[in-house]
Amino acid sequence: MKKRTVVGCLVTLSLLLSSCGTTKLYNWAHYEDISYAYSKKHSPEAEAKLAETYQMLIDSQNVGRKTVPPGICAEYGFLLVKQGKKDQGIALLEKEIALYPESEKFIGRIIKQLQK
């Protein structure tokens, strides 16, 4: 009886652990490394690499949800606004709201300020 209980506990534990596997919802590529490099050194080269990464992330989502990771359109839009490409930046901010409606409260205020 004791052996049966131990085996049952082991089977249950193995089932629980096997169900804890991660599911990849988004393709983040090398976003973390490039974003960190840009935050450490705001050089034109680092900014160009970051913009290139944002565009790649937007263009190549083929994993999990097959949509752009949360915040990417907003960050890229803000970067474009900083570069003087206000219309393109606002379009990406609006795309962020379309993809993630919960961001509207925050992003909507930013868009209103940019349109003044």
Side-chain angles (χ1 to χ4, degrees):
M1 182 87 154
K2 195 174 191 179
K3 185 176 179 181
R4 206 167 153 187
T5 305
V6 171
V7 171
C9 287
L10 289 175
V11 169
T12 303
L13 182 62
S14 67
L15 287 173
L16 287 173
L17 291 177
S18 68
S19 67
C20 292
T22 59
T23 303
K24 193 170 184 180
L25 295 177
Y26 305 102
N27 175 17
W28 289 92
H30 299 288
Y31 167 75
E32 288 178 357
D33 298 331
I34 294 166
S35 177
Y36 180 74
Y38 176 70
S39 71
K40 294 292 278 181
K41 183 179 180 186
H42 289 330
S43 68
E45 297 83 22
E47 187 173 294
K49 185 73 173 166
L50 183 62
E52 179 183 308
T53 301
Y54 285 141
Q55 191 62 54
M56 185 270 305
L57 287 171
I58 290 170
D59 292 342
S60 67
Q61 284 304 311
N62 56 6
V63 177
R65 291 190 59 208
K66 296 185 187 257
T67 190
V68 180
I72 294 297
C73 289
E75 287 184 27
Y76 189 28
F78 186 68
L79 182 66
L80 289 174
V81 168
K82 282 177 42 179
Q83 292 176 342
K85 302 172 185 174
K86 187 175 174 181
D87 293 336
Q88 291 174 328
I90 290 174
L92 279 169
L93 291 169
E94 290 170 343
K95 183 176 181 176
E96 180 75 24
I97 292 171
L99 291 171
Y100 301 98
E102 64 274 12
S103 68
E104 198 280 326
K105 256 187 177 173
F106 180 70
I107 303 287
R109 281 188 257 160
I110 294 171
I111 291 172
K112 284 179 186 173
Q113 288 179 349
L114 289 172
Q115 291 174 335
K116 289 182 180 180

